[in-house]
Amino acid sequence: QVQLVESGGGLVQAGGSLRLSCAASRSIFSGNTMGWYRQSPGKQRELAATISTGGTTTYKDSVKGRFTISRDSAKNTVYLQMKSLKPEDTGVYYCNKLMGWAAYEYAYWGQGTQVTVAS
Protein backbone atom coordinates (compact mmCIF):
# COMPACT_ATOMS: atom_id res chain seq x y z
CA GLN A 1 0.00 0.00 0.00
CA VAL A 2 1.39 3.39 -1.00
CA GLN A 3 1.43 5.75 1.95
CA LEU A 4 2.99 9.02 3.04
CA VAL A 5 2.03 10.51 6.39
CA GLU A 6 3.57 13.82 7.35
CA SER A 7 3.34 15.29 10.86
CA GLY A 8 4.94 17.79 13.20
CA GLY A 9 3.87 21.07 11.68
CA GLY A 10 2.34 23.93 13.60
CA LEU A 11 2.39 27.61 14.38
CA VAL A 12 5.70 29.00 15.59
CA GLN A 13 7.22 32.43 16.10
CA ALA A 14 10.02 33.59 13.84
CA GLY A 15 13.28 32.19 15.13
CA GLY A 16 11.60 29.09 16.49
CA SER A 17 12.07 25.44 15.63
CA LEU A 18 9.99 22.50 14.45
CA ARG A 19 10.73 18.88 13.66
CA LEU A 20 8.72 17.27 10.89
CA SER A 21 8.32 13.54 10.43
CA CYS A 22 7.19 11.53 7.45
CA ALA A 23 6.26 7.86 7.64
CA ALA A 24 6.50 6.34 4.19
CA SER A 25 5.54 3.00 2.78
CA ARG A 26 8.44 0.75 1.89
CA SER A 27 7.60 0.99 -1.80
CA ILE A 28 8.33 4.73 -1.74
CA PHE A 29 11.14 4.81 0.84
CA SER A 30 13.29 1.82 0.07
CA GLY A 31 16.10 2.43 -2.38
CA ASN A 32 15.07 6.01 -3.12
CA THR A 33 16.49 9.40 -2.41
CA MET A 34 13.84 11.10 -0.31
CA GLY A 35 12.97 14.76 -0.20
CA TRP A 36 11.00 17.34 1.69
CA TYR A 37 8.99 19.60 -0.55
CA ARG A 38 7.06 22.68 0.41
CA GLN A 39 4.32 24.74 -1.14
CA SER A 40 4.05 28.29 0.08
CA PRO A 41 0.90 30.35 -0.48
CA GLY A 42 0.62 31.41 -4.10
CA LYS A 43 3.75 29.55 -5.14
CA GLN A 44 4.67 26.34 -6.90
CA ARG A 45 5.71 23.30 -4.92
CA GLU A 46 9.48 23.34 -4.47
CA LEU A 47 12.10 20.94 -3.24
CA ALA A 48 13.63 22.07 0.05
CA ALA A 49 15.96 19.21 0.99
CA THR A 50 16.95 15.71 -0.10
CA ILE A 51 18.72 12.73 1.42
CA SER A 52 20.08 9.76 -0.47
CA THR A 53 20.04 6.17 0.72
CA GLY A 54 23.67 6.67 1.71
CA GLY A 55 22.91 9.79 3.73
CA THR A 56 24.14 12.45 1.31
CA THR A 57 22.07 15.59 1.76
CA THR A 58 21.28 18.61 -0.38
CA TYR A 59 19.44 21.78 0.51
CA LYS A 60 17.79 24.68 -1.22
CA ASP A 61 19.98 27.73 -0.69
CA SER A 62 17.37 29.53 1.38
CA VAL A 63 17.29 26.77 4.03
CA LYS A 64 20.97 25.84 4.18
CA GLY A 65 22.34 26.03 7.68
CA ARG A 66 18.84 26.09 9.18
CA PHE A 67 17.23 22.81 8.07
CA THR A 68 18.57 19.30 8.58
CA ILE A 69 17.11 16.29 6.80
CA SER A 70 17.65 12.76 8.09
CA ARG A 71 16.22 9.30 7.55
CA ASP A 72 15.67 6.16 9.60
CA SER A 73 15.64 3.13 7.33
CA ALA A 74 14.41 0.83 10.09
CA LYS A 75 11.27 2.94 10.39
CA ASN A 76 10.89 4.05 6.75
CA THR A 77 10.78 7.57 8.13
CA VAL A 78 12.25 10.87 7.00
CA TYR A 79 12.72 13.84 9.31
CA LEU A 80 13.23 17.56 8.79
CA GLN A 81 14.64 19.53 11.70
CA MET A 82 13.96 23.20 11.11
CA LYS A 83 15.48 25.99 13.20
CA SER A 84 15.71 29.78 12.95
CA LEU A 85 12.41 29.68 11.11
CA LYS A 86 11.39 32.68 9.03
CA PRO A 87 7.94 33.82 7.86
CA GLU A 88 8.93 32.86 4.31
CA ASP A 89 9.21 29.24 5.47
CA THR A 90 5.44 29.19 5.87
CA GLY A 91 3.72 26.57 3.75
CA VAL A 92 2.57 22.99 3.53
CA TYR A 93 5.42 20.52 3.77
CA TYR A 94 5.34 17.18 1.99
CA CYS A 95 7.79 14.34 1.74
CA ASN A 96 8.22 12.05 -1.23
CA LYS A 97 10.88 10.34 -3.26
CA LEU A 98 13.00 12.61 -5.37
CA MET A 99 11.38 13.39 -8.72
CA GLY A 100 11.54 16.00 -11.41
CA TRP A 101 9.11 18.90 -11.19
CA ALA A 102 7.20 17.68 -14.23
CA ALA A 103 6.18 14.60 -12.25
CA TYR A 104 4.69 16.52 -9.34
CA GLU A 105 1.24 16.69 -10.92
CA TYR A 106 0.98 12.94 -11.43
CA ALA A 107 2.65 11.63 -8.27
CA TYR A 108 0.95 10.32 -5.15
CA TRP A 109 1.24 12.83 -2.27
CA GLY A 110 0.32 12.62 1.37
CA GLN A 111 -1.77 15.26 3.10
CA GLY A 112 1.24 17.32 4.07
CA THR A 113 1.78 19.20 7.31
CA GLN A 114 1.17 22.93 7.67
CA VAL A 115 3.99 25.12 8.97
CA THR A 116 3.12 28.69 9.84
CA VAL A 117 5.82 31.08 10.99
CA ALA A 118 4.55 34.27 12.56
CA SER A 119 6.64 37.42 12.40
Side-chain angles (χ1 to χ4, degrees), residues 2 9-10 15 18 26 28 33 40 48 59-60 64 67-68 72 75 83 90 97 99 108 118:
V2 176
L18 285 172
R26 176 176 282 191
I28 294 176
T33 293
S40 301
Y59 298 94
K60 182 177 173 63
K64 280 180 182 177
F67 290 12
T68 303
D72 184 335
K75 297 180 179 179
K83 64 179 183 180
T90 293
K97 62 182 180 183
M99 68 185 81
Y108 168 83

Side-chain angles (χ1 to χ4, degrees), residues 41-106:
K43 295 186 178 180
Q44 302 271 14
R45 191 168 303 190
E46 62 180 4
L47 181 62
T50 70
I51 184 166
S52 71
T53 55
T56 299
T57 58
T58 66
Y59 298 94
K60 182 177 173 63
D61 284 347
S62 61
V63 307
K64 280 180 182 177
R66 302 187 298 118
F67 290 12
T68 303
I69 188 172
S70 60
R71 63 192 290 165
D72 184 335
S73 296
K75 297 180 179 179
N76 292 343
T77 299
V78 186
Y79 303 97
L80 188 67
Q81 178 68 52
M82 306 186 294
K83 64 179 183 180
S84 302
L85 282 161
K86 304 176 180 180
E88 51 264 44
D89 294 318
T90 293
V92 182
Y93 284 70
Y94 304 86
C95 75
N96 213 325
K97 62 182 180 183
L98 179 64
M99 68 185 81
W101 64 267
Y104 291 0
E105 180 181 359
Y106 306 103

Side-chain angles (χ1 to χ4, degrees), residues 22-38:
C22 170
S25 56
R26 176 176 282 191
S27 62
I28 294 176
F29 186 91
S30 183
N32 287 313
T33 293
M34 295 296 292
W36 278 98
Y37 302 76
R38 69 182 180 189

